[in-house]
Amino acid sequence: MRWEVLALALVVGAANWGFRYLPIRFGLGSGAEGGVLARFLAAVGPAAIATLFFASALPFVAAGAVLAPALGTAAVLAVWVWRRSVVLATLAGAVAYAGGFALSG
Amino acid sequence: MDAGQETFAAGLVTALPIGLGYFPIAFAFGVAATGAGLSGWEAAALSVIIYAGASQFLALALLTSGAALPVAAFTLIAMNLRHVLYGPALMKAAGAGAGKRHAWAWAWGLTDEVFGAALGEIARGKRFSEAGMFGLGLLPYAAWISGTVAGALAGGGALAGWPVLEAGLGFLLPALFLALLLSILTRPQVPVIVVAGLACVAGTLAVSSTTGILGGMVAGALAGVMRRARA
């Protein structure tokens, strides 16, 4: 196992554990909601997810395909509205994309 | 409404759909990891030690693009910063006196979906318990690791003869990000999302994908802080 892979995993994994446990241990988040840190924490998650959505979608846009990405995106939206489930919406999007890929291939 | 205390077994049952959803995504990660040149052990280590789906896929992109270790670590840590909010939100919903003695262990399983499921159980009248949280967290973690190992064993070329399946698995990542985005979408977050998206696209087209990702995260977070400061 390469050291850079293990080091990256350990650093990010330790941070993940801290993010998930330490706010519970120390009762963080129960203070004033308008502070700079609270605003930053509230914004960084959506910013990260939005960034990664656009970053992962760009190659599909660049490839010029229309039907499969459109079907996949529509399925994610529809199943999310229907069930409010991240897992189900994700799987539905992948299945619909595969269907669109098969139809256009 | 009091539907009783969440037990370990009830937590496992609640987590079943999450585990079923995690397995194919983790399988896709295992395939992608070995396809990107990681060994099976390295792919499994990422799932065991990081256990955060979206950032693991991003880790592959960063590792294969040759990003410097500090840049890669910063990007991945920034992406998972949202998890800071989950514990306090869960304990607030659980009510005063909710146990947290073993939180050092069960909090590890507090992913986006597990957090959502735990809040849902409380909303349906189940009383929070640490045993229930262990049940809720264990099955998805096991599914994530076993899915990764299965995908890594199948290997990077395993899907070459199955182009439709490979295409579907390839779309899992943007689908996951879109679903996560929908799950946190509120009107106050719209400017954050728009600014992050624009900065990401501009940075990617002008410089590189790594610049676009970092730029999008920073610009989006600053937009959120500044917008609320003006409000």
mmCIF file of all heavy atoms in Angstrom, chain B residues 89-142:
data_model
loop_
_atom_site.group_PDB
_atom_site.id
_atom_site.type_symbol
_atom_site.label_atom_id
_atom_site.label_comp_id
_atom_site.label_asym_id
_atom_site.label_seq_id
_atom_site.Cartn_x
_atom_site.Cartn_y
_atom_site.Cartn_z
ATOM 1 N N ALA B 89 -27.494 18.490 15.762
ATOM 2 C CA ALA B 89 -28.899 18.449 15.317
ATOM 3 C C ALA B 89 -29.584 17.176 15.818
ATOM 4 O O ALA B 89 -30.741 17.211 16.263
ATOM 5 C CB ALA B 89 -28.962 18.519 13.792
ATOM 6 N N LEU B 90 -28.874 16.060 15.780
ATOM 7 C CA LEU B 90 -29.450 14.790 16.239
ATOM 8 C C LEU B 90 -29.701 14.812 17.746
ATOM 9 O O LEU B 90 -30.777 14.393 18.209
ATOM 10 C CB LEU B 90 -28.508 13.635 15.880
ATOM 11 C CG LEU B 90 -28.948 12.247 16.333
ATOM 12 C CD1 LEU B 90 -30.256 11.851 15.655
ATOM 13 C CD2 LEU B 90 -27.867 11.215 16.033
ATOM 14 N N MET B 91 -28.728 15.300 18.514
ATOM 15 C CA MET B 91 -28.885 15.324 19.967
ATOM 16 C C MET B 91 -29.978 16.300 20.390
ATOM 17 O O MET B 91 -30.681 16.074 21.385
ATOM 18 C CB MET B 91 -27.553 15.697 20.649
ATOM 19 C CG MET B 91 -26.423 14.714 20.374
ATOM 20 S SD MET B 91 -26.889 12.971 20.575
ATOM 21 C CE MET B 91 -27.069 12.860 22.349
ATOM 22 N N LYS B 92 -30.147 17.365 19.613
ATOM 23 C CA LYS B 92 -31.222 18.310 19.912
ATOM 24 C C LYS B 92 -32.576 17.636 19.698
ATOM 25 O O LYS B 92 -33.495 17.785 20.503
ATOM 26 C CB LYS B 92 -31.090 19.540 19.016
ATOM 27 C CG LYS B 92 -32.067 20.647 19.356
ATOM 28 C CD LYS B 92 -31.818 21.866 18.485
ATOM 29 C CE LYS B 92 -32.797 22.987 18.853
ATOM 30 N NZ LYS B 92 -32.601 24.167 17.995
ATOM 31 N N ALA B 93 -32.686 16.858 18.599
ATOM 32 C CA ALA B 93 -33.944 16.143 18.333
ATOM 33 C C ALA B 93 -34.179 15.043 19.361
ATOM 34 O O ALA B 93 -35.328 14.738 19.705
ATOM 35 C CB ALA B 93 -33.915 15.559 16.926
ATOM 36 N N ALA B 94 -33.085 14.431 19.855
ATOM 37 C CA ALA B 94 -33.212 13.326 20.818
ATOM 38 C C ALA B 94 -33.702 13.824 22.173
ATOM 39 O O ALA B 94 -34.301 13.052 22.932
ATOM 40 C CB ALA B 94 -31.865 12.619 20.971
ATOM 41 N N GLY B 95 -33.468 15.078 22.469
ATOM 42 C CA GLY B 95 -33.966 15.642 23.709
ATOM 43 C C GLY B 95 -32.954 15.596 24.835
ATOM 44 O O GLY B 95 -31.923 14.907 24.760
ATOM 45 N N ALA B 96 -33.265 16.348 25.897
ATOM 46 C CA ALA B 96 -32.361 16.412 27.045
ATOM 47 C C ALA B 96 -32.214 15.033 27.680
ATOM 48 O O ALA B 96 -33.170 14.272 27.757
ATOM 49 C CB ALA B 96 -32.907 17.414 28.063
ATOM 50 N N GLY B 97 -31.013 14.716 28.087
ATOM 51 C CA GLY B 97 -30.767 13.448 28.754
ATOM 52 C C GLY B 97 -30.477 12.296 27.819
ATOM 53 O O GLY B 97 -30.281 11.160 28.278
ATOM 54 N N ALA B 98 -30.475 12.533 26.525
ATOM 55 C CA ALA B 98 -30.148 11.462 25.576
ATOM 56 C C ALA B 98 -28.714 11.002 25.796
ATOM 57 O O ALA B 98 -27.819 11.829 25.974
ATOM 58 C CB ALA B 98 -30.332 11.968 24.147
ATOM 59 N N GLY B 99 -28.522 9.694 25.787
ATOM 60 C CA GLY B 99 -27.201 9.147 26.070
ATOM 61 C C GLY B 99 -26.185 9.462 24.989
ATOM 62 O O GLY B 99 -26.503 9.443 23.806
ATOM 63 N N LYS B 100 -24.956 9.752 25.397
ATOM 64 C CA LYS B 100 -23.877 9.965 24.438
ATOM 65 C C LYS B 100 -22.565 9.374 24.946
ATOM 66 O O LYS B 100 -21.504 9.737 24.474
ATOM 67 C CB LYS B 100 -23.717 11.448 24.110
ATOM 68 C CG LYS B 100 -23.462 12.351 25.300
ATOM 69 C CD LYS B 100 -23.350 13.803 24.817
ATOM 70 C CE LYS B 100 -23.006 14.723 25.980
ATOM 71 N NZ LYS B 100 -22.914 16.132 25.577
ATOM 72 N N ARG B 101 -22.690 8.434 25.909
ATOM 73 C CA ARG B 101 -21.498 7.833 26.514
ATOM 74 C C ARG B 101 -20.647 7.093 25.489
ATOM 75 O O ARG B 101 -19.421 7.110 25.549
ATOM 76 C CB ARG B 101 -21.953 6.871 27.613
ATOM 77 C CG ARG B 101 -20.829 6.229 28.371
ATOM 78 C CD ARG B 101 -21.368 5.325 29.462
ATOM 79 N NE ARG B 101 -20.307 4.615 30.139
ATOM 80 C CZ ARG B 101 -20.519 3.647 31.027
ATOM 81 N NH1 ARG B 101 -21.749 3.290 31.344
ATOM 82 N NH2 ARG B 101 -19.506 3.042 31.593
ATOM 83 N N HIS B 102 -21.344 6.417 24.544
ATOM 84 C CA HIS B 102 -20.611 5.642 23.535
ATOM 85 C C HIS B 102 -20.612 6.328 22.176
ATOM 86 O O HIS B 102 -20.392 5.677 21.155
ATOM 87 C CB HIS B 102 -21.228 4.253 23.408
ATOM 88 C CG HIS B 102 -21.255 3.494 24.690
ATOM 89 N ND1 HIS B 102 -20.121 3.048 25.309
ATOM 90 C CD2 HIS B 102 -22.286 3.133 25.503
ATOM 91 C CE1 HIS B 102 -20.433 2.425 26.437
ATOM 92 N NE2 HIS B 102 -21.749 2.464 26.586
ATOM 93 N N ALA B 103 -20.864 7.621 22.189
ATOM 94 C CA ALA B 103 -20.938 8.358 20.914
ATOM 95 C C ALA B 103 -19.613 8.311 20.157
ATOM 96 O O ALA B 103 -19.608 8.410 18.930
ATOM 97 C CB ALA B 103 -21.352 9.801 21.162
ATOM 98 N N TRP B 104 -18.502 8.141 20.875
ATOM 99 C CA TRP B 104 -17.200 8.070 20.202
ATOM 100 C C TRP B 104 -17.180 6.929 19.181
ATOM 101 O O TRP B 104 -16.449 6.996 18.195
ATOM 102 C CB TRP B 104 -16.067 7.865 21.213
ATOM 103 C CG TRP B 104 -16.182 6.590 21.994
ATOM 104 C CD1 TRP B 104 -16.838 6.396 23.171
ATOM 105 C CD2 TRP B 104 -15.640 5.314 21.641
ATOM 106 N NE1 TRP B 104 -16.749 5.097 23.576
ATOM 107 C CE2 TRP B 104 -16.016 4.410 22.663
ATOM 108 C CE3 TRP B 104 -14.865 4.852 20.577
ATOM 109 C CZ2 TRP B 104 -15.655 3.047 22.633
ATOM 110 C CZ3 TRP B 104 -14.503 3.520 20.544
ATOM 111 C CH2 TRP B 104 -14.894 2.632 21.564
ATOM 112 N N ALA B 105 -18.022 5.918 19.404
ATOM 113 C CA ALA B 105 -18.074 4.781 18.472
ATOM 114 C C ALA B 105 -19.227 4.923 17.475
ATOM 115 O O ALA B 105 -19.017 4.843 16.265
ATOM 116 C CB ALA B 105 -18.216 3.481 19.258
ATOM 117 N N TRP B 106 -20.462 5.135 17.959
ATOM 118 C CA TRP B 106 -21.576 5.136 17.005
ATOM 119 C C TRP B 106 -21.587 6.374 16.115
ATOM 120 O O TRP B 106 -22.164 6.347 15.022
ATOM 121 C CB TRP B 106 -22.930 4.930 17.694
ATOM 122 C CG TRP B 106 -23.372 5.918 18.747
ATOM 123 C CD1 TRP B 106 -23.399 5.716 20.089
ATOM 124 C CD2 TRP B 106 -23.903 7.237 18.539
ATOM 125 N NE1 TRP B 106 -23.895 6.818 20.738
ATOM 126 C CE2 TRP B 106 -24.214 7.770 19.817
ATOM 127 C CE3 TRP B 106 -24.151 8.032 17.412
ATOM 128 C CZ2 TRP B 106 -24.751 9.052 19.987
ATOM 129 C CZ3 TRP B 106 -24.676 9.308 17.586
ATOM 130 C CH2 TRP B 106 -24.969 9.796 18.862
ATOM 131 N N ALA B 107 -20.969 7.467 16.570
ATOM 132 C CA ALA B 107 -20.961 8.684 15.745
ATOM 133 C C ALA B 107 -20.190 8.470 14.443
ATOM 134 O O ALA B 107 -20.418 9.195 13.465
ATOM 135 C CB ALA B 107 -20.365 9.852 16.523
ATOM 136 N N TRP B 108 -19.303 7.485 14.428
ATOM 137 C CA TRP B 108 -18.555 7.195 13.196
ATOM 138 C C TRP B 108 -19.503 6.836 12.049
ATOM 139 O O TRP B 108 -19.236 7.116 10.882
ATOM 140 C CB TRP B 108 -17.561 6.060 13.440
ATOM 141 C CG TRP B 108 -16.844 5.597 12.213
ATOM 142 C CD1 TRP B 108 -16.926 4.368 11.616
ATOM 143 C CD2 TRP B 108 -15.941 6.352 11.399
ATOM 144 N NE1 TRP B 108 -16.132 4.315 10.498
ATOM 145 C CE2 TRP B 108 -15.519 5.522 10.346
ATOM 146 C CE3 TRP B 108 -15.457 7.649 11.466
ATOM 147 C CZ2 TRP B 108 -14.638 5.948 9.363
ATOM 148 C CZ3 TRP B 108 -14.573 8.085 10.466
ATOM 149 C CH2 TRP B 108 -14.174 7.240 9.442
ATOM 150 N N GLY B 109 -20.632 6.230 12.383
ATOM 151 C CA GLY B 109 -21.583 5.823 11.346
ATOM 152 C C GLY B 109 -22.563 6.898 10.952
ATOM 153 O O GLY B 109 -23.505 6.630 10.205
ATOM 154 N N LEU B 110 -22.348 8.116 11.421
ATOM 155 C CA LEU B 110 -23.313 9.195 11.195
ATOM 156 C C LEU B 110 -23.104 9.822 9.812
ATOM 157 O O LEU B 110 -22.669 10.955 9.685
ATOM 158 C CB LEU B 110 -23.167 10.241 12.293
ATOM 159 C CG LEU B 110 -24.413 11.034 12.717
ATOM 160 C CD1 LEU B 110 -25.577 10.116 13.041
ATOM 161 C CD2 LEU B 110 -24.082 11.915 13.900
ATOM 162 N N THR B 111 -23.450 9.062 8.788
ATOM 163 C CA THR B 111 -23.355 9.583 7.417
ATOM 164 C C THR B 111 -24.609 10.402 7.101
ATOM 165 O O THR B 111 -25.534 10.486 7.913
ATOM 166 C CB THR B 111 -23.253 8.425 6.417
ATOM 167 O OG1 THR B 111 -24.447 7.633 6.526
ATOM 168 C CG2 THR B 111 -22.040 7.547 6.695
ATOM 169 N N ASP B 112 -24.654 10.961 5.898
ATOM 170 C CA ASP B 112 -25.818 11.763 5.502
ATOM 171 C C ASP B 112 -27.110 10.955 5.648
ATOM 172 O O ASP B 112 -28.089 11.424 6.222
ATOM 173 C CB ASP B 112 -25.677 12.215 4.039
ATOM 174 C CG ASP B 112 -24.432 13.047 3.808
ATOM 175 O OD1 ASP B 112 -24.344 14.149 4.361
ATOM 176 O OD2 ASP B 112 -23.542 12.583 3.080
ATOM 177 N N GLU B 113 -27.092 9.741 5.111
ATOM 178 C CA GLU B 113 -28.313 8.937 5.087
ATOM 179 C C GLU B 113 -28.674 8.414 6.476
ATOM 180 O O GLU B 113 -29.847 8.362 6.840
ATOM 181 C CB GLU B 113 -28.147 7.757 4.116
ATOM 182 C CG GLU B 113 -28.042 8.159 2.654
ATOM 183 C CD GLU B 113 -26.675 8.713 2.297
ATOM 184 O OE1 GLU B 113 -25.708 8.490 3.065
ATOM 185 O OE2 GLU B 113 -26.569 9.394 1.256
ATOM 186 N N VAL B 114 -27.670 8.009 7.263
ATOM 187 C CA VAL B 114 -27.931 7.514 8.621
ATOM 188 C C VAL B 114 -28.464 8.642 9.494
ATOM 189 O O VAL B 114 -29.398 8.448 10.287
ATOM 190 C CB VAL B 114 -26.654 6.893 9.220
ATOM 191 C CG1 VAL B 114 -26.828 6.620 10.711
ATOM 192 C CG2 VAL B 114 -26.298 5.609 8.478
ATOM 193 N N PHE B 115 -27.886 9.812 9.337
ATOM 194 C CA PHE B 115 -28.375 10.985 10.062
ATOM 195 C C PHE B 115 -29.847 11.248 9.718
ATOM 196 O O PHE B 115 -30.688 11.438 10.609
ATOM 197 C CB PHE B 115 -27.514 12.195 9.694
ATOM 198 C CG PHE B 115 -28.086 13.519 10.109
ATOM 199 C CD1 PHE B 115 -28.167 13.879 11.445
ATOM 200 C CD2 PHE B 115 -28.545 14.422 9.149
ATOM 201 C CE1 PHE B 115 -28.698 15.111 11.816
ATOM 202 C CE2 PHE B 115 -29.067 15.650 9.511
ATOM 203 C CZ PHE B 115 -29.148 15.985 10.849
ATOM 204 N N GLY B 116 -30.165 11.221 8.428
ATOM 205 C CA GLY B 116 -31.543 11.448 8.004
ATOM 206 C C GLY B 116 -32.485 10.392 8.544
ATOM 207 O O GLY B 116 -33.599 10.697 8.998
ATOM 208 N N ALA B 117 -32.028 9.125 8.526
ATOM 209 C CA ALA B 117 -32.875 8.031 9.023
ATOM 210 C C ALA B 117 -33.090 8.148 10.534
ATOM 211 O O ALA B 117 -34.195 7.889 11.034
ATOM 212 C CB ALA B 117 -32.230 6.691 8.680
ATOM 213 N N ALA B 118 -32.050 8.536 11.263
ATOM 214 C CA ALA B 118 -32.163 8.680 12.720
ATOM 215 C C ALA B 118 -33.156 9.791 13.069
ATOM 216 O O ALA B 118 -33.998 9.625 13.960
ATOM 217 C CB ALA B 118 -30.787 8.979 13.318
ATOM 218 N N LEU B 119 -33.063 10.902 12.349
ATOM 219 C CA LEU B 119 -34.018 11.993 12.584
ATOM 220 C C LEU B 119 -35.435 11.541 12.249
ATOM 221 O O LEU B 119 -36.395 11.882 12.950
ATOM 222 C CB LEU B 119 -33.652 13.208 11.733
ATOM 223 C CG LEU B 119 -32.528 14.109 12.225
ATOM 224 C CD1 LEU B 119 -32.439 15.353 11.342
ATOM 225 C CD2 LEU B 119 -32.717 14.523 13.674
ATOM 226 N N GLY B 120 -35.569 10.750 11.180
ATOM 227 C CA GLY B 120 -36.885 10.259 10.779
ATOM 228 C C GLY B 120 -37.496 9.366 11.838
ATOM 229 O O GLY B 120 -38.697 9.444 12.113
ATOM 230 N N GLU B 121 -36.682 8.486 12.448
ATOM 231 C CA GLU B 121 -37.182 7.601 13.497
ATOM 232 C C GLU B 121 -37.673 8.410 14.697
ATOM 233 O O GLU B 121 -38.712 8.110 15.284
ATOM 234 C CB GLU B 121 -36.075 6.632 13.942
ATOM 235 C CG GLU B 121 -35.779 5.533 12.943
ATOM 236 C CD GLU B 121 -36.976 4.632 12.718
ATOM 237 O OE1 GLU B 121 -37.262 3.795 13.575
ATOM 238 O OE2 GLU B 121 -37.650 4.797 11.681
ATOM 239 N N ILE B 122 -36.916 9.424 15.065
ATOM 240 C CA ILE B 122 -37.333 10.278 16.194
ATOM 241 C C ILE B 122 -38.630 11.009 15.849
ATOM 242 O O ILE B 122 -39.544 11.108 16.672
ATOM 243 C CB ILE B 122 -36.207 11.274 16.551
ATOM 244 C CG1 ILE B 122 -35.003 10.511 17.112
ATOM 245 C CG2 ILE B 122 -36.698 12.313 17.552
ATOM 246 C CD1 ILE B 122 -33.766 11.365 17.296
ATOM 247 N N ALA B 123 -38.724 11.486 14.598
ATOM 248 C CA ALA B 123 -39.941 12.194 14.173
ATOM 249 C C ALA B 123 -41.147 11.267 14.204
ATOM 250 O O ALA B 123 -42.280 11.718 14.398
ATOM 251 C CB ALA B 123 -39.742 12.755 12.769
ATOM 252 N N ARG B 124 -40.900 9.956 14.005
ATOM 253 C CA ARG B 124 -42.011 8.996 14.032
ATOM 254 C C ARG B 124 -42.315 8.505 15.442
ATOM 255 O O ARG B 124 -43.109 7.591 15.628
ATOM 256 C CB ARG B 124 -41.691 7.812 13.111
ATOM 257 C CG ARG B 124 -41.897 8.112 11.633
ATOM 258 C CD ARG B 124 -41.745 6.882 10.763
ATOM 259 N NE ARG B 124 -40.347 6.543 10.546
ATOM 260 C CZ ARG B 124 -39.589 7.094 9.582
ATOM 261 N NH1 ARG B 124 -40.113 7.996 8.782
ATOM 262 N NH2 ARG B 124 -38.328 6.755 9.440
ATOM 263 N N GLY B 125 -41.672 9.087 16.435
ATOM 264 C CA GLY B 125 -42.021 8.791 17.811
ATOM 265 C C GLY B 125 -41.099 7.820 18.529
ATOM 266 O O GLY B 125 -41.317 7.526 19.715
ATOM 267 N N LYS B 126 -40.072 7.273 17.842
ATOM 268 C CA LYS B 126 -39.131 6.384 18.517
ATOM 269 C C LYS B 126 -38.222 7.207 19.436
ATOM 270 O O LYS B 126 -37.754 8.272 19.043
ATOM 271 C CB LYS B 126 -38.269 5.646 17.481
ATOM 272 C CG LYS B 126 -38.997 4.511 16.764
ATOM 273 C CD LYS B 126 -39.072 3.298 17.644
ATOM 274 C CE LYS B 126 -39.741 2.117 16.962
ATOM 275 N NZ LYS B 126 -38.940 1.568 15.878
ATOM 276 N N ARG B 127 -38.002 6.651 20.638
ATOM 277 C CA ARG B 127 -37.081 7.328 21.551
ATOM 278 C C ARG B 127 -35.645 6.977 21.195
ATOM 279 O O ARG B 127 -35.325 5.800 20.967
ATOM 280 C CB ARG B 127 -37.391 6.928 22.998
ATOM 281 C CG ARG B 127 -38.356 7.901 23.663
ATOM 282 C CD ARG B 127 -38.624 7.509 25.096
ATOM 283 N NE ARG B 127 -39.505 6.366 25.183
ATOM 284 C CZ ARG B 127 -39.224 5.244 25.849
ATOM 285 N NH1 ARG B 127 -38.079 5.119 26.482
ATOM 286 N NH2 ARG B 127 -40.074 4.242 25.891
ATOM 287 N N PHE B 128 -34.788 7.981 21.178
ATOM 288 C CA PHE B 128 -33.374 7.803 20.828
ATOM 289 C C PHE B 128 -32.689 6.864 21.813
ATOM 290 O O PHE B 128 -32.960 6.903 23.022
ATOM 291 C CB PHE B 128 -32.684 9.171 20.866
ATOM 292 C CG PHE B 128 -31.197 9.126 20.697
ATOM 293 C CD1 PHE B 128 -30.616 9.203 19.445
ATOM 294 C CD2 PHE B 128 -30.363 8.995 21.805
ATOM 295 C CE1 PHE B 128 -29.243 9.165 19.296
ATOM 296 C CE2 PHE B 128 -28.990 8.955 21.656
ATOM 297 C CZ PHE B 128 -28.424 9.045 20.407
ATOM 298 N N SER B 129 -31.850 5.989 21.297
ATOM 299 C CA SER B 129 -31.001 5.178 22.165
ATOM 300 C C SER B 129 -29.667 4.936 21.471
ATOM 301 O O SER B 129 -29.603 4.905 20.235
ATOM 302 C CB SER B 129 -31.655 3.828 22.485
ATOM 303 O OG SER B 129 -31.525 2.946 21.390
ATOM 304 N N GLU B 130 -28.636 4.767 22.266
ATOM 305 C CA GLU B 130 -27.320 4.500 21.676
ATOM 306 C C GLU B 130 -27.288 3.128 21.013
ATOM 307 O O GLU B 130 -26.643 2.940 20.000
ATOM 308 C CB GLU B 130 -26.241 4.629 22.749
ATOM 309 C CG GLU B 130 -26.057 6.067 23.226
ATOM 310 C CD GLU B 130 -24.758 6.243 23.983
ATOM 311 O OE1 GLU B 130 -24.690 5.769 25.138
ATOM 312 O OE2 GLU B 130 -23.820 6.846 23.440
ATOM 313 N N ALA B 131 -28.010 2.151 21.567
ATOM 314 C CA ALA B 131 -28.070 0.825 20.949
ATOM 315 C C ALA B 131 -28.689 0.927 19.551
ATOM 316 O O ALA B 131 -28.217 0.303 18.592
ATOM 317 C CB ALA B 131 -28.883 -0.125 21.824
ATOM 318 N N GLY B 132 -29.745 1.709 19.449
ATOM 319 C CA GLY B 132 -30.376 1.908 18.153
ATOM 320 C C GLY B 132 -29.431 2.554 17.160
ATOM 321 O O GLY B 132 -29.414 2.199 15.977
ATOM 322 N N MET B 133 -28.617 3.498 17.624
ATOM 323 C CA MET B 133 -27.662 4.158 16.740
ATOM 324 C C MET B 133 -26.584 3.188 16.254
ATOM 325 O O MET B 133 -26.132 3.274 15.119
ATOM 326 C CB MET B 133 -27.012 5.353 17.458
ATOM 327 C CG MET B 133 -27.928 6.553 17.638
ATOM 328 S SD MET B 133 -28.684 7.132 16.105
ATOM 329 C CE MET B 133 -27.226 7.536 15.135
ATOM 330 N N PHE B 134 -26.185 2.250 17.144
ATOM 331 C CA PHE B 134 -25.221 1.227 16.707
ATOM 332 C C PHE B 134 -25.831 0.367 15.599
ATOM 333 O O PHE B 134 -25.180 0.060 14.600
ATOM 334 C CB PHE B 134 -24.804 0.351 17.893
ATOM 335 C CG PHE B 134 -23.663 0.920 18.687
ATOM 336 C CD1 PHE B 134 -23.846 1.335 19.991
ATOM 337 C CD2 PHE B 134 -22.405 1.047 18.124
ATOM 338 C CE1 PHE B 134 -22.790 1.868 20.731
ATOM 339 C CE2 PHE B 134 -21.334 1.579 18.852
ATOM 340 C CZ PHE B 134 -21.543 1.990 20.159
ATOM 341 N N GLY B 135 -27.101 -0.038 15.782
ATOM 342 C CA GLY B 135 -27.763 -0.843 14.756
ATOM 343 C C GLY B 135 -27.915 -0.083 13.458
ATOM 344 O O GLY B 135 -27.686 -0.616 12.361
ATOM 345 N N LEU B 136 -28.269 1.165 13.580
ATOM 346 C CA LEU B 136 -28.496 2.008 12.404
ATOM 347 C C LEU B 136 -27.206 2.260 11.633
ATOM 348 O O LEU B 136 -27.216 2.382 10.407
ATOM 349 C CB LEU B 136 -29.103 3.342 12.874
ATOM 350 C CG LEU B 136 -29.792 4.245 11.857
ATOM 351 C CD1 LEU B 136 -30.817 3.498 11.043
ATOM 352 C CD2 LEU B 136 -30.456 5.414 12.592
ATOM 353 N N GLY B 137 -26.108 2.329 12.358
ATOM 354 C CA GLY B 137 -24.841 2.639 11.699
ATOM 355 C C GLY B 137 -24.078 1.433 11.189
ATOM 356 O O GLY B 137 -23.324 1.528 10.218
ATOM 357 N N LEU B 138 -24.283 0.285 11.841
ATOM 358 C CA LEU B 138 -23.452 -0.887 11.535
ATOM 359 C C LEU B 138 -23.714 -1.459 10.145
ATOM 360 O O LEU B 138 -22.769 -1.744 9.392
ATOM 361 C CB LEU B 138 -23.680 -1.967 12.601
ATOM 362 C CG LEU B 138 -22.764 -3.182 12.506
ATOM 363 C CD1 LEU B 138 -21.316 -2.779 12.693
ATOM 364 C CD2 LEU B 138 -23.167 -4.214 13.568
ATOM 365 N N LEU B 139 -24.991 -1.625 9.802
ATOM 366 C CA LEU B 139 -25.324 -2.275 8.529
ATOM 367 C C LEU B 139 -24.833 -1.473 7.323
ATOM 368 O O LEU B 139 -24.208 -2.042 6.414
ATOM 369 C CB LEU B 139 -26.834 -2.521 8.450
ATOM 370 C CG LEU B 139 -27.272 -3.385 7.279
ATOM 371 C CD1 LEU B 139 -26.829 -4.830 7.473
ATOM 372 C CD2 LEU B 139 -28.787 -3.335 7.128
ATOM 373 N N PRO B 140 -25.070 -0.153 7.267
ATOM 374 C CA PRO B 140 -24.553 0.609 6.135
ATOM 375 C C PRO B 140 -23.014 0.568 6.038
ATOM 376 O O PRO B 140 -22.465 0.500 4.930
ATOM 377 C CB PRO B 140 -25.052 2.039 6.413
ATOM 378 C CG PRO B 140 -26.272 1.851 7.236
ATOM 379 C CD PRO B 140 -25.965 0.671 8.109
ATOM 380 N N TYR B 141 -22.343 0.591 7.198
ATOM 381 C CA TYR B 141 -20.869 0.534 7.182
ATOM 382 C C TYR B 141 -20.398 -0.803 6.611
ATOM 383 O O TYR B 141 -19.490 -0.849 5.762
ATOM 384 C CB TYR B 141 -20.351 0.732 8.610
ATOM 385 C CG TYR B 141 -18.847 0.921 8.733
ATOM 386 C CD1 TYR B 141 -18.131 1.703 7.834
ATOM 387 C CD2 TYR B 141 -18.153 0.338 9.788
ATOM 388 C CE1 TYR B 141 -16.756 1.884 7.973
ATOM 389 C CE2 TYR B 141 -16.787 0.518 9.936
ATOM 390 C CZ TYR B 141 -16.091 1.290 9.027
ATOM 391 O OH TYR B 141 -14.731 1.476 9.173
ATOM 392 N N ALA B 142 -21.056 -1.886 7.057
ATOM 393 C CA ALA B 142 -20.699 -3.214 6.542
ATOM 394 C C ALA B 142 -20.983 -3.307 5.047
ATOM 395 O O ALA B 142 -20.187 -3.872 4.279
ATOM 396 C CB ALA B 142 -21.471 -4.291 7.305
#
